[in-house]
Amino acid sequence: MIVINGRDHSVDYFKGLLVIGMVYTHVLQFFSDASIFLSIPYITQFFNLITFSGFVFCFGYVCQLAYYCKPFRSVYKKMFMTGLKTLLAFYLSGIAFQVYVGNQPLDINTIMPILVLQVIPGWSEFLVSFSLIILLGLALFHSFRWMSNRPILFWVVCSLLLLTTWIDYSKVTIPQLGLLIGTTETITFPVVQYLPFYLIGIYFAKYRIGFRWKYLWISSVGTILFIYYLLTRDMQLPDRFPPSIFWIIGPTLILYIYYLFSKVLDRWQKGLGFLRMMGENVLVYLLLSNMFIFSLDSFFVGPWQGFFFSLMLLLVITYLIKLTSRVPKNHSSLKMMRNKAEPEQSAKRITI
């Protein structure tokens, strides 16, 4: 593992892999036909299974390194702003979906239900859940940090949170509450049911977990139970909206493999700047890719065409990021001159 400027870049590679999978899935869902390409459902369901849970794990991992290891007073504003920025991304993506895909007018009647979280537009619901998880992590900052220091209690709480997948989702009729605990009224990624991944991300970052047989075994149990569910129900997937326990635990082994693989990529690094950049700018890639996809006219792609189109789309977004973040030459020269002058001024002040 390589840590530069206090940042563990292995998690950036992890997030970069997840970004590719999510964008690829969205492209296939919008521009392909599962009745023609029989592999499409398998590809999309694989990435559906691992992507949201993987991002939640990564957010927990990053929050531990960036926030939970520091005093609350020094990080709460940054944590709040991160949650707020993610919520803003949901608003932009949701409004774009309603306008471009839902063919709704861009007026107050379209915008207001999204702003108050009464309407959760398609292909944007994951963004509001990301935001709520981060804000919940802020509200429970001290509790999460205290719990992460008590491993037995920590794992008991994670296990108890899985039991919430057995609640009667049909009783939840308030959209905003459904975002937290799940509902059958609308498509959501309920925060409480996915929270174990966030907590495990905190735990893995805190204790620098690498390859350990016990975690390989535990993660294997989750995925084996998922496979057992498929085999005993004629390959019918467990409920995803709202999630059953089999859907929640299904990706555990795959995510642990992703996690270990990202550690290898971090040591390798060479030629992987594109992947790392995606991981460092997840929100930008997810928001811009959604807006591009929503605004495009319908066309038809197969699995391989969809994959290369996804890569081209990600390259375009990368170019836009680099273009907007490039420092003007004059500004760069001025900054160098200023930096050079600062030691001399400091020396004068010391001399005086």
Side-chain angles (χ1 to χ4, degrees), residues 70-228:
K70 300 174 184 176
F72 178 74
R73 65 180 178 276
S74 68
V75 299
Y76 74 92
K77 290 182 181 178
K78 294 178 183 177
M79 203 170 180
F80 178 74
M81 289 305 299
T82 299
L84 211 59
K85 281 190 265 187
T86 311
L87 185 61
L88 177 61
F90 160 73
Y91 288 145
L92 294 174
S93 177
I95 292 169
F97 180 88
Q98 296 294 72
V99 172
Y100 289 116
V101 181
N103 295 316
Q104 295 187 15
L106 183 60
D107 58 22
I108 193 66
N109 294 324
T110 297
I111 296 172
M112 187 54 66
I114 299 174
L115 293 182
V116 298
L117 305 181
Q118 186 175 356
V119 171
I120 311 299
W123 283 271
S124 307
E125 62 281 333
F126 62 94
L127 288 169
V128 68
S129 296
F130 289 158
S131 176
L132 292 176
I133 286 172
I134 293 170
L135 293 175
L136 182 65
L138 172 61
L140 299 176
F141 185 94
H142 297 293
S143 299
F144 286 171
R145 191 159 67 174
W146 178 82
M147 193 167 54
S148 68
N149 290 322
R150 293 158 177 81
I152 295 176
L153 176 64
F154 174 88
W155 290 108
V156 168
V157 170
C158 287
S159 301
L160 290 175
L161 285 170
L162 293 177
L163 298 181
T164 61
T165 55
W166 274 292
I167 68 173
D168 187 353
Y169 292 116
S170 65
K171 300 290 186 183
V172 183
T173 57
I174 303 172
Q176 294 85 350
L177 183 60
L179 291 170
L180 294 174
I181 62 174
T183 179
T184 56
E185 298 289 318
T186 186
I187 291 176
T188 64
F189 293 94
V191 169
V192 172
Q193 283 79 352
Y194 283 96
L195 196 59
F197 289 103
Y198 183 81
L199 295 175
I200 292 169
I202 293 173
Y203 189 89
F204 270 47
K206 183 179 182 67
Y207 295 103
R208 303 294 184 182
I209 303 296
F211 174 77
R212 296 187 188 176
W213 285 107
K214 67 177 179 179
Y215 294 118
L216 180 64
W217 181 82
I218 293 169
S219 62
S220 297
V221 170
T223 300
I224 288 169
L225 288 173
F226 172 78
I227 294 171
Y228 173 78

Side-chain angles (χ1 to χ4, degrees), residues 304-349:
W304 283 108
Q305 291 171 312
F307 180 71
F308 286 116
F309 175 80
S310 302
L311 290 181
M312 291 301 104
L313 178 57
L314 291 169
L315 284 171
V316 169
I317 296 171
T318 301
Y319 174 74
L320 292 175
I321 292 173
K322 285 184 173 292
L323 197 64
T324 55
S325 62
R326 186 175 296 168
V327 179
K329 190 172 182 181
N330 292 339
H331 177 73
S332 180
S333 301
L334 181 62
K335 187 176 180 181
M336 287 177 65
M337 290 172 64
R338 192 176 297 163
N339 290 339
K340 186 177 179 182
E342 280 179 358
E344 296 176 1
Q345 293 173 356
S346 299
K348 289 178 181 178
R349 285 195 296 269

Side-chain angles (χ1 to χ4, degrees), residues 3 8 21 46 107 123 170 216 230 245 248 253 315:
V3 179
D8 179 355
F46 171 79
D107 58 22
W123 283 271
S170 65
L216 180 64
L230 295 179
I245 189 170
I248 295 293
L253 176 60
L315 284 171

Side-chain angles (χ1 to χ4, degrees), residues 223-240:
T223 300
I224 288 169
L225 288 173
F226 172 78
I227 294 171
Y228 173 78
Y229 180 96
L230 295 179
L231 295 176
T232 56
R233 288 168 175 77
D234 298 323
M235 301 306 290
Q236 293 297 311
L237 288 167
D239 291 334
R240 182 187 179 202

